[in-house]
């Protein structure tokens, strides 16, 4: 499997580092964004295979980000994984309705994250 380009969106730097280490260790390229608004600025026509986003962030939260990504024709089919401490069913349903493909609750196991990545873009 060749590495994919993955955009990770999380307002926690330590969480971004952990996710980045997990992904780059598996051969993927990583682009980092600190919140939904920052993430949208990175969607500038470059090829992104997958987006991994936190839910609770300042400026633009994860669900708002999913909705916004789905309105952009070149990223409409880019799979989005929510990686969050939010395990409440209602939030999950909201995320899925917005178009999130998977929901992983923090703290996560690196294998669990990589399995989801492989399933969506492998």
């Amino acid at each position: 499997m060749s590495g994919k380009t993955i955009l990770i969106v999380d307002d926690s730097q330590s969480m971004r580092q952990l996710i980045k280490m997990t992904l780059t260790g598996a051969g993927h390229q990583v682009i980092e964004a600190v919140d939904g608004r920052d993430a949208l600025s990175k969607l500038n026509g470059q090829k992104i295979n997958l987006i991994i986003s936190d839910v609770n962030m300042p400026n633009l939260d994860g669900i708002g980000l999913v909705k916004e990504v789905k309105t952009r024709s070149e990223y409409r089919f880019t799979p989005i994984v929510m990686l969050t401490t939010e395990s409440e069913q209602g939030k999950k349903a909201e995320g899925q309705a917005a178009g999130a493909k998977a929901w992983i609750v923090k703290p996560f196991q690196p294998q669990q994250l990589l399995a989801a990545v492989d399933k969506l873009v492998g």
Side-chain angles (χ1 to χ4, degrees):
M1 177 188 110
S2 63
K4 305 291 182 189
T5 300
I6 302 174
L7 173 62
I8 55 178
V9 191
D10 200 308
D11 54 334
S12 155
Q13 191 188 351
S14 56
M15 186 50 70
R16 284 197 314 275
Q17 277 176 326
L18 181 61
I19 299 167
K20 183 177 184 172
M21 258 173 23
T22 301
L23 296 171
T24 53
H28 301 293
Q29 300 294 312
V30 170
I31 299 165
E32 295 181 54
V34 296
D35 59 40
R37 195 176 298 160
D38 187 31
L40 292 174
S41 75
K42 306 265 165 48
L43 297 180
N44 52 12
Q46 63 183 320
K47 177 81 179 127
I48 291 178
N49 301 100
L50 179 71
I51 298 169
I52 298 175
S53 177
D54 189 11
V55 172
N56 301 311
M57 298 179 290
N59 299 319
L60 179 61
D61 74 351
I63 298 201
L65 173 63
V66 173
K67 290 178 177 160
E68 187 56 44
V69 168
K70 296 297 171 194
T71 67
R72 300 185 176 205
S73 56
E74 67 271 44
Y75 297 106
R76 189 179 303 140
F77 300 110
T78 304
I80 302 172
V81 175
M82 306 314 287
L83 181 63
T84 175
T85 52
E86 194 71 68
S87 58
E88 199 242 305
Q89 236 7 80
K91 266 288 189 217
K92 228 172 180 168
E94 201 186 334
Q96 281 169 331
K101 285 278 179 264
W103 193 277
I104 299 174
V105 178
K106 295 174 187 169
F108 69 96
Q109 294 301 317
Q111 291 74 15
Q112 183 191 16
L113 180 63
L114 293 173
V117 169
D118 287 346
K119 203 172 120 189
L120 292 167
V121 295

